[in-house]
Amino acid sequence: MIILLATTTFFNPSASADIKSDYKAYVMAPLTKITNWSDFSKQLATLKSNGVYALTTDVWWGDVEKNGNNQFDWSYYRQYAQVVRESGLKWVPIISTHQCGGNVGDDCNIPVPNWVWNLASEDVLTHESETGYVNKETVSPWATNVISTQYNELYSSFAQNFSDYKDIIVKIYLSGGPAGELRFPSYVSGDGWSYPSRGKLQAYTETAKTDFRNNMQAKYGTISSLNAAWNTNLSSFSQVNPPSDGDNFFTSGAAYNSQYGKDFMNWYQSVLTKHLSLISSKAHQNFDSTFGVPIGAKIAGLHWKMNDPYMPHSTEYSAGYHDYAKILDQFKASNLHLTFTCLEMDNSQAYTSPYYSAPKSLVTQIANLATQRGIVLNGENALAISSSDASYSETRYRNTAQHLFNEGFSGFTLLRLANVVNANGTKTAEMDRFRDILILQPIKVDFIVKNAPTASGDTVYVTGNRWEMGMWDNADGDKIKLTWNSTYQDWRGSAYIAANRYYEFKAVVAGSNNVVKSWEPGSNNVWNTPSTNSSYTVQW
């Protein structure tokens, strides 16, 4: 079958599949607090024995500083860190300044500390949507003075109290907004949202409106200049407002085509990037000298409404994602690692009403932008992978692997512990699937292909049965690309694949037009890989 399909196969001439040499697999801890430390230790031992590198954990602001401003209690998380250390795992704390509860998958209720809401007016501290709904999942990014002071104190206290655990802390993540993601709380059930509606714009407090007006005055200088650009007849900047009808803003095309729409969306997104700049600067000031580890943040995979013919990308726009390139420019400027979600999903509803959901395309877009900027990229699944149907689960892991090993991801975090390890520490059925496909130890393999029937302009590739080898002739897979070695008169190339895994693969010749010309004859090469770096020679 492979040979029959080969005549229509095109290979990407500039890319080569493999596992990033620094690739690691992580598992996300439960949202709720641990009550049985003995069982938790057993769970972590199972993760460790199955090759998981580190545990990621929400460290809730609403728990550690709930008793009052600057009244920190880290005792629970210090015990937590000690149990992680004893397991042999590494630890990735997420400094979670958002509320736990109210988002998809939440099974706890830990609000932002109550005293925070007395530090300024509600208008300054909260979000208000286009419907007038007031949201307290996170402190509003417009509350820069409060955030600057309180987050700095939180980060500083964490550094002081966990400096003696720097041997296990390998990365620190920052919560940039609701659910720990850099975005506005646009889609919440309390505001009447249900999937797959777009969500609501969040720029309707007086504080937000004033910021928009000031931004526009700074850009245009005079109201007459603004009127000329917007084709309006406003008499003062006090009449500048966010969209009065969110749905019409998108369906009319104003969000995409009018100067007003472009100005609004650019400003709206800039609130998020300025927020990211602020919290990352505080994090680097407090964490770099103590821990010396990477700092990261997360962007949400908002994949629905992407192809909606009436309001394309409206879910992303409503959450503050107008121009991903500029958001990732801020990640680069702030020296942050990036985590992105929804790697397990496919594009099966890309043109199906009312979903218009294209997560696969979105992940690839973000990965390409991150790679162009040299940003270290980590992935997550958006929804729990747990099914009595093994083939369904395996497709989710394989969808994930396609992105991880063809698009330059350095790690993957599985959401969540309970899906791969039972409460008593025994593994679930998902663990073996997860381990086989995604918990991989990269080894460097030097591939050599001798006597390949090539002509001038041809290239030789190796491709096989797993995504880190390109998944045979799959159009979405990058193959392992070799180059001609004039000294040895053969084709050679190196790639990182997985240790201790079963591979089937073949060499293939592609012409200068990147169309396959011939496959290595005979049976597939079969190899159970070793645990250390190695080489493999194919005799065509």
Side-chain angles (χ1 to χ4, degrees):
M1 180 178 69
I2 295 168
I3 294 171
L4 289 174
L5 292 172
T7 56
T8 58
T9 299
F10 290 81
F11 283 177
N12 185 341
S14 62
S16 184
D18 68 355
I19 307 170
K20 292 278 283 186
S21 61
D22 61 350
Y23 175 81
K24 301 287 190 302
Y26 307 76
V27 169
M28 192 176 294
L31 290 171
T32 54
K33 294 179 75 171
I34 305 302
T35 57
N36 188 320
W37 292 105
S38 175
D39 282 352
F40 185 54
S41 295
K42 295 174 185 175
Q43 289 180 305
L44 300 190
T46 299
L47 293 183
K48 178 66 175 177
S49 66
N50 281 275
V52 173
Y53 174 65
L55 186 74
T56 68
T57 306
D58 287 283
V59 177
W60 296 107
W61 183 25
D63 183 49
V64 299
E65 204 179 0
K66 64 184 177 184
N67 294 326
N69 194 354
N70 256 323
Q71 297 180 38
F72 293 100
D73 180 0
W74 297 102
S75 56
Y76 168 80
Y77 289 105
R78 283 188 59 81
Q79 182 176 4
Y80 193 106
Q82 182 59 31
V83 174
V84 175
R85 175 189 274 162
E86 291 170 356
S87 75
L89 292 172
K90 299 299 184 181
W91 191 37
V92 179
I94 307 165
I95 311 301
S96 296
T97 47
H98 59 284
Q99 167 186 302
C100 181
N103 282 293
V104 175
D106 284 0
D107 57 358
C108 67
N109 180 29
I110 305 175
V112 173
N114 286 332
W115 54 265
V116 170
W117 306 114
N118 298 321
L119 297 176
S121 69
E122 180 178 87
D123 189 85
V124 169
L125 292 171
T126 62
H127 298 84
E128 183 176 336
S129 77
E130 59 196 71
T131 65
Y133 180 82
V134 175
N135 189 295
K136 291 186 174 183
E137 286 184 68
T138 62
V139 174
S140 160
W142 285 284
T144 53
N145 291 336
V146 171
I147 288 170
S148 180
T149 300
Q150 298 305 322
Y151 285 26
N152 186 68
E153 291 175 355
L154 177 66
Y155 296 166
S156 175
S157 184
F158 179 85
Q160 292 168 23
N161 281 271
F162 290 88
S163 60
D164 55 338
Y165 283 99
K166 62 183 179 182
D167 58 303
I168 65 167
I169 295 174
V170 292
K171 194 184 303 186
I172 298 172
Y173 263 77
L174 310 178
S175 166
E181 299 162 337
L182 181 70
R183 62 175 176 85
F184 291 106
S186 53
Y187 52 100
V188 293
S189 58
D191 196 13
W193 175 84
S194 61
Y195 182 78
S197 59
R198 66 172 171 86
K200 308 294 197 309
L201 296 165
Q202 302 289 315
Y204 296 85
T205 60
E206 290 305 313
T207 300
K209 292 176 184 176
T210 298
D211 185 39
F212 182 39
R213 292 162 185 158
N214 290 342
N215 188 276
M216 292 302 98
Q217 188 164 9
K219 176 175 181 176
Y220 289 106
T222 65
I223 195 67
S224 60
S225 294
L226 179 143
N227 282 328
W230 287 7
N231 194 28
T232 51
N233 295 297
L234 306 181
S235 58
S236 72
F237 281 98
S238 65
Q239 294 178 315
V240 170
N241 281 301
S244 59
D245 183 337
D247 282 344
N248 184 65
F249 178 59
F250 291 106
T251 57
S252 69
Y256 317 102
N257 303 318
S258 72
Q259 189 58 49
Y260 165 77
K262 294 173 184 176
D263 284 340
F264 174 79
M265 290 311 313
N266 283 329
W267 162 78
Y268 188 56
Q269 177 178 284
S270 76
V271 176
L272 293 182
T273 54
K274 289 176 183 176
H275 176 65
L276 185 67
S277 176
L278 173 60
I279 66 173
S280 63
S281 67
K282 297 299 180 183
H284 283 299
Q285 289 168 22
N286 286 287
F287 297 151
D288 287 359
S289 60
T290 299
F291 301 107
V293 299
I295 296 171
K298 182 162 69 171
I299 295 177
L302 305 184
H303 52 83
W304 61 100
K305 295 294 183 192
M306 288 179 62
N307 298 316
D308 190 310
Y310 302 106
M311 50 173 68
H313 301 286
S314 54
T315 296
E316 298 153 276
Y317 279 29
S318 296
Y321 298 166
H322 168 61
D323 183 343
Y324 287 114
K326 290 183 179 178
I327 297 176
L328 267 64
D329 285 342
Q330 187 60 60
F331 269 80
K332 181 65 175 179
S334 295
N335 190 21
L336 294 173
H337 286 199
L338 168 65
T339 285
F340 196 71
T341 64
C342 71
L343 272 69
E344 83 281 13
M345 296 181 172
D346 58 39
N347 279 357
S348 59
Q349 294 181 321
Y351 297 98
T352 302
S353 178
Y355 310 101
Y356 301 107
S357 166
K360 183 177 176 181
S361 300
L362 180 59
V363 173
T364 298
Q365 177 188 359
I366 298 298
N368 288 339
L369 290 170
T371 299
Q372 291 164 12
R373 288 159 178 76
I375 297 170
V376 176
L377 191 57
N378 191 78
E380 288 183 5
N381 51 310
L383 301 175
I385 300 174
S386 182
S387 174
S388 57
D389 182 351
S391 62
Y392 173 82
S393 293
E394 287 171 359
T395 62
R396 304 299 95 182
Y397 297 122
R398 291 193 184 106
N399 288 346
T400 300
Q402 176 195 329
H403 294 296
L404 294 176
F405 308 136
N406 288 273
E407 295 170 356
F409 283 76
S410 290
F412 175 74
T413 303
L414 181 77
L415 180 133
R416 183 174 304 271
L417 176 65
N419 296 111
V420 289
V421 184
N422 294 311
N424 64 1
T426 59
K427 65 182 181 180
T428 70
E430 293 298 336
M431 175 59 87
D432 289 340
R433 302 163 194 157
F434 174 42
R435 182 186 63 236
D436 178 61
I437 300 173
L438 298 180
I439 307 179
L440 307 182
Q441 173 196 337
I443 58 169
K444 184 180 179 181
V445 175
D446 299 319
F447 287 97
I448 303 168
V449 176
K450 294 183 175 294
N451 305 315
T454 57
S456 178
D458 290 349
T459 302
V460 174
Y461 297 83
V462 173
T463 183
N465 64 326
R466 294 171 60 98
W467 277 112
E468 58 268 29
M469 274 193 174
M471 196 59 82
W472 294 118
D473 59 348
N474 194 296
D476 293 322
D478 292 332
K479 322 309 175 188
I480 297 171
K481 186 178 181 180
L482 310 184
T483 57
W484 175 251
N485 187 298
S486 57
T487 301
Y488 293 98
Q489 297 291 297
D490 55 25
W491 292 85
R492 298 183 176 222
S494 299
Y496 284 90
I497 61 174
N500 305 309
R501 290 294 184 275
Y502 173 82
Y503 285 93
E504 294 188 18
F505 55 93
K506 282 193 171 188
V508 61
V509 175
S512 58
N513 58 358
N514 304 315
V515 176
V516 169
K517 296 173 64 176
S518 59
W519 287 77
E520 176 191 351
S523 301
N524 295 339
N525 301 292
V526 174
W527 191 24
N528 290 294
T529 54
S531 58
T532 58
N533 296 346
S534 187
S535 64
Y536 194 99
T537 299
V538 173
Q539 296 284 354
W540 192 287

PDB file of all heavy atoms in Angstrom, residues 160 275 340 467:
ATOM      1  N   GLN A 160      11.386  33.463  48.216  1.00  0.00           N
ATOM      2  CA  GLN A 160      11.998  33.350  49.541  1.00  0.00           C
ATOM      3  C   GLN A 160      11.685  32.005  50.197  1.00  0.00           C
ATOM      4  O   GLN A 160      12.549  31.417  50.863  1.00  0.00           O
ATOM      5  CB  GLN A 160      11.512  34.485  50.435  1.00  0.00           C
ATOM      6  CG  GLN A 160      11.987  35.863  50.030  1.00  0.00           C
ATOM      7  CD  GLN A 160      11.253  36.970  50.770  1.00  0.00           C
ATOM      8  OE1 GLN A 160      10.707  36.747  51.855  1.00  0.00           O
ATOM      9  NE2 GLN A 160      11.230  38.158  50.186  1.00  0.00           N
ATOM     10  N   HIS A 275       0.012  43.681  29.893  1.00  0.00           N
ATOM     11  CA  HIS A 275      -0.133  42.903  31.126  1.00  0.00           C
ATOM     12  C   HIS A 275       0.939  41.817  31.198  1.00  0.00           C
ATOM     13  O   HIS A 275       1.577  41.616  32.245  1.00  0.00           O
ATOM     14  CB  HIS A 275      -1.532  42.291  31.167  1.00  0.00           C
ATOM     15  CG  HIS A 275      -1.779  41.398  32.340  1.00  0.00           C
ATOM     16  ND1 HIS A 275      -1.786  41.857  33.638  1.00  0.00           N
ATOM     17  CD2 HIS A 275      -2.027  40.068  32.407  1.00  0.00           C
ATOM     18  CE1 HIS A 275      -2.036  40.845  34.469  1.00  0.00           C
ATOM     19  NE2 HIS A 275      -2.184  39.744  33.738  1.00  0.00           N
ATOM     20  N   PHE A 340       0.809  26.110  24.596  1.00  0.00           N
ATOM     21  CA  PHE A 340      -0.415  26.226  23.802  1.00  0.00           C
ATOM     22  C   PHE A 340      -1.215  24.940  23.930  1.00  0.00           C
ATOM     23  O   PHE A 340      -0.642  23.861  24.131  1.00  0.00           O
ATOM     24  CB  PHE A 340      -0.090  26.499  22.330  1.00  0.00           C
ATOM     25  CG  PHE A 340      -1.270  27.002  21.549  1.00  0.00           C
ATOM     26  CD1 PHE A 340      -1.763  28.275  21.774  1.00  0.00           C
ATOM     27  CD2 PHE A 340      -1.896  26.199  20.612  1.00  0.00           C
ATOM     28  CE1 PHE A 340      -2.868  28.743  21.063  1.00  0.00           C
ATOM     29  CE2 PHE A 340      -3.000  26.660  19.901  1.00  0.00           C
ATOM     30  CZ  PHE A 340      -3.479  27.936  20.134  1.00  0.00           C
ATOM     31  N   TRP A 467       4.937   9.331  14.257  1.00  0.00           N
ATOM     32  CA  TRP A 467       4.993  10.721  13.803  1.00  0.00           C
ATOM     33  C   TRP A 467       6.398  11.304  13.871  1.00  0.00           C
ATOM     34  O   TRP A 467       6.737  12.205  13.100  1.00  0.00           O
ATOM     35  CB  TRP A 467       4.027  11.585  14.614  1.00  0.00           C
ATOM     36  CG  TRP A 467       2.626  11.511  14.098  1.00  0.00           C
ATOM     37  CD1 TRP A 467       1.552  10.951  14.722  1.00  0.00           C
ATOM     38  CD2 TRP A 467       2.150  11.998  12.843  1.00  0.00           C
ATOM     39  NE1 TRP A 467       0.423  11.060  13.931  1.00  0.00           N
ATOM     40  CE2 TRP A 467       0.770  11.697  12.767  1.00  0.00           C
ATOM     41  CE3 TRP A 467       2.745  12.655  11.765  1.00  0.00           C
ATOM     42  CZ2 TRP A 467      -0.006  12.036  11.670  1.00  0.00           C
ATOM     43  CZ3 TRP A 467       1.966  12.995  10.667  1.00  0.00           C
ATOM     44  CH2 TRP A 467       0.601  12.686  10.630  1.00  0.00           C
TER      45      TRP A 467
END
